[in-house]
Amino acid sequence: MWTVMPSPIGDLRIVERDGSIVAIEFSPFKQSADGRPLGARSDDEPVLAETVRQLTAYFGRELTDFDLPLAPVGTEFQKRVWEQLEKIAYGETASYGEVAGRLGMTNAASRAVGLANGRNPIPIVVPCHRVIGANGTLTGYAGGLERKQQLLELEQDALF
């Protein structure tokens, strides 16, 4: 099942399967990558409604930590990277090399971390926007660099 919510960075489509969030997609929405149907739209499904509530609070600068059942689909390595992303605190950033180091890998693994980061199916909640280049620059973001900048600014503004 899925629902769509408005947000300051454009409409977001939230997808759930078996009671867990599997995707948050930026508009314009695409067909599902695996070709499977998303199911019916259900704005009242409890986990979808709770995700909308928490995202609304996040965008309203009232929530800094999400508490949602997540079931991202990916390789074991991707899941390890995504678990590290969840440990980057609200308003903080980390470089790809730092994330690699937290995984017990060398800086040479930065590229692999970047690829896994870019495949994160649950952006915002799994905060891939908090990963930046080693020199502090914004690097690629599936939702576009403008959205990444907006998310980082939202978090920074909320802290001060």
Side-chain angles (χ1 to χ4, degrees):
M1 292 191 198
W2 57 277
T3 191
V4 173
M5 70 169 281
S7 85
I9 59 170
D11 287 347
L12 301 172
R13 181 165 59 186
I14 306 160
V15 183
E16 84 64 58
R17 281 197 190 111
D18 302 321
S20 294
I21 300 302
V22 296
I24 295 176
E25 303 167 347
F26 299 109
S27 61
F29 307 125
K30 299 179 180 121
Q31 290 269 50
S32 65
D34 59 12
R36 293 190 292 179
L38 298 173
R41 179 170 179 160
S42 176
D43 299 335
D44 298 326
E45 199 286 324
V47 74
L48 293 173
E50 179 59 16
T51 303
V52 168
R53 186 193 72 73
Q54 288 189 32
L55 283 166
T56 300
Y58 168 82
F59 286 116
R61 297 178 173 95
E62 300 163 3
L63 181 106
T64 59
D65 291 304
F66 293 95
D67 183 19
L68 297 165
L70 306 178
V73 176
T75 67
E76 287 308 310
F77 177 74
Q78 288 170 335
K79 289 177 184 178
R80 287 180 53 218
V81 170
W82 301 335
E83 287 171 10
Q84 288 302 313
L85 300 181
E86 291 185 80
K87 295 176 183 177
I88 304 170
Y90 181 92
E92 299 292 321
T93 58
S95 71
Y96 296 98
E98 289 170 332
V99 174
R102 293 174 190 174
L103 290 166
M105 306 170 89
T106 68
N107 207 37
S110 296
R111 186 175 196 85
V113 166
L115 291 171
N117 193 56
R119 294 219 181 343
N120 171 23
I122 310 175
I124 306 168
V125 174
V126 177
C128 52
H129 62 278
R130 296 180 187 153
V131 183
I132 59 174
N135 61 0
T137 59
L138 297 187
T139 55
Y141 187 62
L145 289 181
E146 184 176 327
R147 282 186 175 122
K148 183 173 188 166
Q149 181 71 42
Q150 287 176 292
L151 291 168
L152 291 172
E153 286 174 359
L154 173 121
E155 293 181 11
Q156 288 297 311
D157 290 347
L159 294 174
F160 299 105

